[in-house]
Amino acid sequence: MKSNNSLTPSYFQFTVFADYGPLRYLFFSLSLLIYVTIISANLVIVLSVCLETSLHQPMYIFICSLCLNSLYGSTGFFPRFLMDLLSDTHFISRLLCFIQMYITNTCLEQELTLLTVMAYDRFVAICQPLHYHSKMTFRTVLLLLILAVLYPVWAFGYFFYQASSLPLCGNQLHKIFCTTVSIINLSCVDTTVISISSQFSSSPFFVLYTYLCILLVCRRSSSEFRGKALQTCLPHIVTVGNYCILPFCDFSLSLYIVDEVNTLVIVLSLEFWIIPPIINPLVYGLNPPQIRGVIFGYRRAGKMVHST
């Protein structure tokens, strides 16, 4: 039972960071390398789609948006995380904590809504190919992108308001960054309804349902059709699989006492901020021949310019 003596802390403390001594510089260097890799890999995809007119198609525009979202979320997470790796104390002001919480949570929700839009795009392309160009017009794509970006802003705004107005009975966060759940756990009042609804909002149910429909259509089709469908859906399936690992990591963290497994908490908490932002550009940059051709085409052009 939580205490009724509520308070509004002006700062929060991350409790799972350990004193790694000189190893902190190694962890900092590795994390900085990962951050630079994420920025570089996603920027390559974004610039390729933006600069190459042949890639101005719905699927590639959605891929570009997914990479932009990775850049947005990584920028909200890594600078503070890098600072904490080198710091002896791990305090964050209430304002910066809520800003980080807003960025990371909206990034997570936008990842889901973009994956949902991409699943719908693949559903139309595979199950209704004759109507694809009439359904996925520029206006439709623009509307879907606006909804994919604004819905998380609106939906999380509700949870953000509730979390920011909760009476808190502590200031210690058992995380490596500020999250809605970690703030809610400090509340002096019952937050069961908020916790359940926040978890439900991050469920990839519609994405999984869409791919189930595609699978059912493929079962009734020829082997050649199934092969082409699998080839075009494989990058999306890998991306959705990466996203589904996140709830597993959160569930795993809830099974342990965080003060005793600091390293495990950090590793599991880093999953979403390392694996999808790196895997997505690799999958979408190497698998679709159109994007791969543009990327390697620019490289060859660059070499020819330098050689002359």
Side-chain angles (χ1 to χ4, degrees), residues 121-282:
D121 174 69
R122 291 301 86 198
F123 173 79
V124 176
I126 294 172
C127 302
Q128 303 172 359
L130 298 179
H131 303 282
Y132 181 79
H133 293 290
S134 61
K135 286 191 173 184
M136 299 303 295
T137 62
F138 176 79
R139 182 177 180 179
T140 302
V141 171
L142 183 60
L143 179 61
L144 289 174
L145 283 178
I146 292 175
L147 290 175
V149 173
L150 293 186
Y151 173 75
V153 173
W154 171 81
F156 181 68
Y158 170 74
F159 297 113
F160 183 81
Y161 170 76
Q162 289 190 318
S164 62
S165 59
L166 285 173
L168 306 180
C169 291
N171 69 338
Q172 293 188 335
L173 303 179
H174 305 306
K175 292 279 189 177
I176 59 174
F177 63 101
C178 295
T179 65
T180 311
V181 175
S182 60
I183 298 295
I184 289 176
N185 288 339
L186 296 177
S187 174
C188 305
V189 297
D190 182 44
T191 57
T192 304
V193 176
I194 302 176
S195 300
I196 294 176
S197 36
S198 64
Q199 292 297 322
F200 179 78
S201 66
S202 300
S203 173
F205 170 78
F206 186 79
V207 180
L208 298 177
Y209 172 76
T210 303
Y211 282 110
L212 177 61
C213 293
I214 294 176
L215 179 63
L216 293 176
V217 171
C218 290
R219 284 189 60 186
R220 300 191 298 265
S221 304
S222 64
S223 58
E224 183 181 356
F225 180 88
R226 288 196 297 269
K228 291 181 179 179
L230 178 61
Q231 183 179 7
T232 187
C233 286
L234 185 59
H236 307 281
I237 294 174
V238 172
T239 305
V240 173
N242 286 330
Y243 182 89
C244 291
I245 295 175
L246 180 65
F248 170 77
C249 291
D250 286 339
F251 176 74
S252 300
L253 289 178
S254 67
L255 299 179
Y256 296 94
I257 302 173
V258 293
D259 291 333
E260 297 181 0
V261 286
N262 294 340
T263 303
L264 179 62
V265 171
I266 292 177
V267 170
L268 291 179
S269 299
L270 285 173
E271 184 277 331
F272 181 76
W273 305 109
I274 293 180
I275 297 180
I278 291 180
I279 292 295
N280 291 351
L282 291 178

Side-chain angles (χ1 to χ4, degrees), residues 83-102:
M83 184 186 305
D84 281 320
L85 286 176
L86 294 180
S87 177
D88 294 323
T89 59
H90 306 97
F91 296 98
I92 184 172
S93 68
R94 181 183 178 90
L95 176 61
L96 291 179
C97 182
F98 277 86
I99 290 176
Q100 185 185 59
M101 181 177 71
Y102 182 83

